[in-house]
Amino acid sequence: RHLSPRLRPSEGLARPPPPPTDNCPNGPFRPGHGKSVERDVVPTCVYQHSGGAIPHSVEWEGRSLLKALVKKSALRGEQVHVLGCEVSEEEFREGFDSNINSRLVYHDLFRDPLSWSKPGKALPGGPLEALRALDKRTVSGPATIALDSLSWLLHHLPCPTLCQTLHALSRQDSCPGDTPPGEQVRVLGLLHEELHGPGPLGALSSLAQTEVTLSGMMGQASAQILCRRPRQRPTHQTQWFSILPDFSLELQAEPPLESQPRSDPHTPSVDPTTHLTFNLHLSKKEREAKDSLTLPFQFSSEKQQALLRPGLGQATSHIFYEPDAYDDLDQEDPDDDLDV
Amino acid sequence: ATLVRVQRGGSPSAQTEGKLTLLCDAKTDGSFLVHHFLSFYLKANCKVCLVALIQSFSHYNIVGQKLGVSLTAARERGQLVVLEGLKSGVDVFFRPREEPHPLQFLREANAGDLQPLYAFVRDALQPVDSGEAAWRCPVLLVDDLSVLLSLGVGPVAVLDFVHYCRATVCQEWKGNVVCLVHDSGDTEDEESDVLLNGLSHQSHLILRAEGLATGFCKDVHGQLRILWRRPLQPTTHRDRSLTYQYKIQDKSVSFFAKGMSPAVL
């Protein structure tokens, strides 16, 4: 099946919040889904696609986009919590400057997620508790939670549990009251589509308000963005982008035109005529002789004149025939009986 | 050989340490890559742990001798630790159950996880501060991971094992991990696909040996695609992959650009 990269943001459900009650044990109500402040890309889930066993799609990896979005959130002053399962903290923080790194809290599920190590470097409670603990940490102010990756969580937790936890994560505690503007939690999740079947993918998809699918063409990455808003039709948009080395997101208006594939500057072009057993080259004399040669069936004006002008001694053409003993000369016209 | 150039100059340097290299073959036999990496790392004075599930030790030894290393000598001086799957797989059934064994999953009704195998690798490659001349970075070689699926281990369990090896050998000890998997290709093998795709995402470098699309050829045995993933900076894919064709000879493998085999020109 053809897999197109899809970013699956994991946001709150598009249902209206539950009716307010009088007993609200916790703080002010915070809506589950993040409202997009960016003008263009609003991902809430960065989903990486990597279709086949190799390359054409393993190239369009989503972690760079996830990091670019994390950087955007951090630059807006939000606190970012990253649940890191697939890469080490060192690797995730690479490329970020200290300003961003100070706003980034990395919950390490990479080193010892399943408690296999003897001195026990694992987060207590395993992956599920680590995930649940995330909502208790976003105490105040807008925050972004990045899950790297949802695929890892989906492999290690039952799908319904994961979906419920994600839903709870984005809902937080609900309480009536004024929603402070900007008190929002945005949940980003990275998902490798080809590792899962359609069931779990569909379940996560239904949780997400925005799905961003990555693909690309000729070296240029693009994102298919599907936005589902409550009581509105889903909108679909394609955005070409590139990610700069410092993980800034650069949006492009249209795909850049590349008329021909650029030759790789690193490999010297190989001349195939160097090690042959036969000679492919022409000397100057040979080249001149070749150029001055007229081809037998080339119809030039000289030839035309020669044909039109009968040459000397060529008035008519004669056929001389000597029949031998076995020849049967029949004077009748064989086509006589044709009724043409 | 080009593979050595791929590793930047023939010796593990800072750039090439802490990496997971995935060897993958499709419609051909990619084990020549395993032999290459084994001899390469032994010659580079690295501490090597070979999880050999497919062939016997003597097979690797014979090929290694053609490539210029003696595995027996390396094992004797402690540079090489080998888990011979074919031999020790049988031992599992003749040992008391309480003793942990790396291939313990063979005994289990539900092949659970590969933690005992990971523990074996960790103990084999653990850096020892004994004051003697230390080996260079630790290296884990697995030949191969697809057979674990055939032995009943789930793809997620295999991915977890590789995850832990990556976390310990690559991240913590700055060593390298090289694993071979088989691409099942057109056969609808979901587990194999999940394993291969999952590993591709975890890898820094993918070497994929493919048979030629046109079938068997005497002079060109296959095609090798090299893909660098997880570069330091997100760049366009244009710089990240190369393709060569190769011919396996008795003591080496020769690489050439596509269509440039000396036999064809």
Side-chain angles (χ1 to χ4, degrees):
Chain A
R1 67 195 152 126
H2 172 66
L3 296 168
S4 55
R6 277 179 296 161
L7 293 184
R8 292 167 179 277
S10 182
E11 287 199 291
L13 287 187
R15 272 191 252 130
T21 60
D22 284 327
N23 312 327
C24 181
N26 300 316
F29 168 75
R30 265 187 254 126
H33 50 82
K35 210 169 157 148
S36 129
V37 187
E38 295 106 309
R39 190 169 48 83
D40 305 295
V41 179
V42 184
T44 1
C45 214
V46 173
Y47 170 67
Q48 157 181 354
H49 158 56
S50 164
I54 264 206
H56 299 305
S57 19
V58 164
E59 287 153 26
W60 307 114
E61 52 103 26
R63 189 164 291 113
S64 306
L65 183 56
L66 182 70
K67 285 175 79 165
L69 298 170
V70 159
K71 174 174 170 164
K72 259 191 175 210
S73 293
L75 289 178
R76 269 199 306 265
E78 294 177 11
Q79 208 187 29
V80 181
H81 291 270
V82 180
L83 184 66
C85 317
E86 291 196 347
V87 296
S88 66
E89 179 168 359
E90 196 183 315
E91 189 173 337
F92 195 88
R93 287 186 186 272
E94 207 176 317
F96 287 151
D97 59 31
S98 56
N99 178 27
I100 299 166
N101 271 323
S102 61
R103 295 195 169 277
L104 206 154
V105 180
Y106 195 85
H107 305 268
D108 194 343
L109 263 190
F110 170 77
R111 272 195 311 171
D112 191 5
L114 309 171
S115 308
W116 283 6
S117 293
K118 293 207 200 90
K121 302 174 221 163
L123 292 179
L128 185 56
E129 284 312 312
L131 187 58
R132 284 184 178 147
L134 282 177
D135 61 1
K136 297 182 191 70
R137 289 181 199 265
T138 58
V139 185
S140 63
T144 296
I145 297 177
L147 302 171
D148 179 13
S149 64
L150 276 176
S151 283
W152 193 94
L153 292 169
L154 202 50
H155 275 149
H156 293 87
L157 298 173
C159 184
T161 314
L162 177 62
C163 290
Q164 284 162 4
T165 315
L166 286 177
H167 178 43
L169 200 64
S170 40
R171 289 304 297 257
Q172 306 277 323
D173 350 66
S174 46
C175 212
D178 299 285
T179 309
E183 285 275 331
Q184 293 160 349
V185 175
R186 181 181 291 108
V187 181
L188 302 173
L190 175 63
L191 186 63
H192 311 300
E193 187 183 35
E194 75 288 0
L195 296 181
H196 309 286
L201 288 182
L204 284 176
S205 182
S206 66
L207 280 179
Q209 194 177 66
T210 313
E211 258 182 55
V212 185
T213 308
L214 293 181
S215 62
M217 200 168 66
M218 299 215 291
Q220 186 59 39
S222 73
Q224 317 282 331
I225 306 165
L226 178 66
C227 247
R228 293 191 202 96
R229 293 194 195 280
R231 291 184 290 276
Q232 285 178 30
R233 280 169 65 200
T235 56
H236 190 270
Q237 146 190 32
T238 304
Q239 178 70 57
W240 294 87
F241 69 96
S242 64
I243 298 180
L244 304 176
D246 66 349
F247 293 103
S248 315
L249 189 58
E250 189 183 280
L251 301 172
Q252 269 128 12
E254 54 187 48
L257 299 165
E258 275 195 39
S259 51
Q260 75 216 2
R262 286 175 253 178
S263 61
D264 192 343
H266 300 297
T267 55
S269 52
V270 179
D271 181 13
T273 59
T274 41
H275 298 296
L276 296 173
T277 52
F278 47 90
N279 182 21
L280 273 183
H281 300 287
L282 292 172
S283 71
K284 193 159 178 260
K285 261 180 88 172
E286 288 169 339
R287 197 178 290 276
E288 278 170 14
K290 180 185 166 200
D291 287 338
S292 58
L293 182 68
T294 48
L295 297 171
F297 298 105
Q298 201 172 339
F299 199 66
S300 61
S301 56
E302 291 91 19
K303 221 169 187 172
Q304 189 180 20
Q305 295 304 318
L307 286 172
L308 290 175
R309 223 181 310 115
L312 303 167
Q314 232 187 331
T316 52
S317 47
H318 293 275
I319 298 174
F320 298 97
Y321 174 61
E322 292 285 337
D324 63 8
Y326 299 103
D327 265 333
D328 179 17
L329 279 176
D330 192 351
Q331 297 297 337
E332 276 181 20
D333 184 359
D335 295 327
D336 250 351
D337 55 356
L338 283 181
D339 192 11
V340 176
Chain B
T2 320
L3 280 181
V4 171
R5 276 211 302 281
V6 163
Q7 282 142 11
R8 312 250 195 281
S11 64
S13 64
Q15 263 184 316
T16 60
E17 287 182 354
K19 299 285 180 261
L20 168 61
T21 301
L22 181 67
L23 310 176
C24 167
D25 59 23
K27 293 188 180 155
T28 190
D29 183 12
S31 56
F32 70 95
L33 292 167
V34 175
H35 296 295
H36 160 80
F37 278 100
L38 181 58
S39 63
F40 171 77
Y41 282 119
L42 283 176
K43 283 184 197 168
N45 215 27
C46 294
K47 178 99 191 267
V48 177
C49 173
L50 172 66
V51 175
L53 301 173
I54 297 291
Q55 300 280 5
S56 65
F57 175 76
S58 54
H59 172 87
Y60 294 99
N61 199 18
I62 292 169
V63 180
Q65 277 169 4
K66 289 189 183 173
L67 296 175
V69 287
S70 166
L71 297 195
T72 337
R75 193 160 63 166
E76 273 162 22
R77 60 175 179 258
Q79 188 188 7
L80 175 66
V81 178
V82 182
L83 172 65
E84 250 185 295
L86 295 173
K87 257 176 46 179
S88 61
V90 181
D91 286 343
V92 175
F93 297 96
F94 295 111
R95 275 178 171 209
R97 196 181 269 262
E98 301 76 37
E99 279 181 33
H101 188 280
L103 301 180
Q104 203 161 307
F105 64 89
L106 291 172
R107 284 192 85 141
E108 316 281 325
N110 276 335
D113 58 36
L114 294 172
Q115 185 182 358
L117 186 59
Y118 162 71
F120 171 84
V121 169
R122 189 191 53 215
D123 295 337
L125 291 177
Q126 181 105 39
V128 177
D129 323 302
S130 59
E132 61 188 32
W135 306 109
R136 288 182 83 158
C137 57
V139 174
L140 168 66
L141 263 131
V142 185
D143 180 19
D144 59 47
L145 288 173
S146 298
V147 74
L148 292 172
L149 293 180
S150 309
L151 291 171
V153 184
V156 179
V158 182
L159 288 174
D160 286 340
F161 164 70
V162 176
H163 175 114
Y164 265 90
C165 290
R166 195 164 51 99
T168 313
V169 178
C170 294
Q171 180 62 31
E172 209 179 308
W173 297 335
K174 301 287 180 272
N176 290 326
V177 175
V178 180
C179 305
L180 176 66
V181 273
H182 301 299
D183 184 0
S184 57
D186 296 329
T187 61
E188 296 278 337
D189 188 344
E190 272 189 37
E191 292 196 332
S192 171
D193 289 341
V194 169
L195 177 61
L196 180 56
N197 291 330
L199 286 173
S200 302
H201 283 290
Q202 290 193 38
S203 315
H204 298 92
L205 175 65
I206 303 176
L207 298 178
R208 185 175 159 93
E210 301 170 336
L212 296 178
T214 44
F216 173 74
C217 171
K218 191 164 56 83
D219 298 300
V220 179
H221 290 153
Q223 180 168 289
L224 186 72
R225 283 161 79 183
I226 304 170
L227 176 73
W228 283 272
R229 288 199 79 244
R230 315 239 299 253
L232 288 175
Q233 295 181 346
T235 55
T236 59
H237 83 101
R238 160 176 72 99
D239 294 322
R240 291 207 242 149
S241 75
L242 282 177
T243 305
Y244 291 99
Q245 291 181 337
Y246 62 87
K247 177 178 179 176
I248 302 176
Q249 288 151 343
D250 187 43
K251 293 193 179 185
S252 66
V253 180
S254 55
F255 291 88
F256 32 87
K258 277 171 106 160
M260 296 293 189
S261 162
V264 171
L265 287 176

